Amino acid sequence: MGWLEGIGKAVRKTSFYLCCVGMVFVMPLMALTTVDVIARAVWSKPIPGTFELSEYLLAIAILLGAAYTQQVKGHVGVDFVTKRLGPRLKALSEALCTLGCLIIVGLLAWQGYLRALEETTVSDMLRVPQAPFRFLVFVAGMTLFAEFLLDFMISLKNLIGGKK
């Protein structure tokens, strides 16, 4: 096993386990929303803070699932041009696109980290501290960055001569 495969395996496991943690938060989100809708319809009394809590639970699920979605190539892609390209040109296109994604996600993670360090506010109704969610942007961004970096290295390997 080469070093790229070893790193890839660690990155993929990390992405998978973070996604599993994110999935755990989907069930309470669904239960909270369901109970709030029933309480609102039957007793005309919504559960206080449901909207705020739903935002946090949804943010956790989405952020922790982004890297795994990249791993399984589940993000939206438009390939009507690249499917007509040869293997080397396609690898070049993938490498350039992935490089752009690396830059954007790297900036996102970096800013998430900086914002987490300076964050002192709490939410309006439930008084939930914002800093852990800002830090979650950093953690999820770094995991997504690692997935993109792995994809970039594979694209470069294919471009240089791994796949003809």
Side-chain angles (χ1 to χ4, degrees):
M1 179 186 297
W3 65 274
L4 184 59
E5 288 84 15
I7 292 172
K9 188 175 181 181
V11 168
R12 295 190 192 296
K13 271 188 175 182
T14 302
S15 296
F16 176 75
Y17 289 128
L18 284 177
C19 182
C20 289
V21 170
M23 286 189 298
V24 167
F25 287 92
V26 173
M27 293 304 283
L29 173 64
M30 292 187 318
L32 178 65
T33 304
T34 302
V35 170
D36 184 55
V37 167
I38 292 170
R40 187 181 303 259
V42 174
W43 298 289
S44 299
K45 297 261 186 194
I47 300 172
T50 298
F51 183 73
E52 201 172 274
L53 199 53
S54 294
E55 288 177 330
Y56 293 130
L57 293 171
L58 191 59
I60 292 168
I62 289 172
L63 287 170
L64 293 181
Y68 181 73
T69 306
Q70 175 60 27
Q71 178 182 323
V72 297
K73 306 298 180 247
H75 290 293
V76 175
V78 181
D79 65 349
F80 68 91
V81 173
T82 58
K83 70 181 176 185
R84 294 185 174 109
L85 300 176
R88 296 199 52 107
L89 205 49
K90 186 175 182 178
L92 176 64
S93 172
E94 287 174 2
L96 291 174
C97 183
T98 306
L99 181 62
C101 292
L102 273 170
I103 293 168
I104 292 168
V105 170
L107 289 171
L108 178 80
W110 172 51
Q111 287 299 308
Y113 179 74
L114 293 178
R115 299 278 191 254
L117 291 178
E118 62 191 27
E119 188 66 60
T120 58
T121 60
V122 294
S123 65
D124 293 332
M125 182 173 265
L126 299 175
R127 312 300 296 163
V128 176
Q130 300 293 303
F133 297 96
R134 305 279 186 201
F135 188 70
L136 187 61
V137 171
F138 168 70
V139 171
M142 289 307 296
T143 310
L144 184 56
F145 184 86
E147 284 288 346
F148 277 126
L149 185 60
L150 186 62
D151 288 346
F152 181 68
M153 293 169 79
I154 291 169
S155 293
L156 286 181
K157 183 180 171 190
N158 292 341
L159 182 64
I160 293 170
K163 251 190 215 176
K164 299 239 179 191

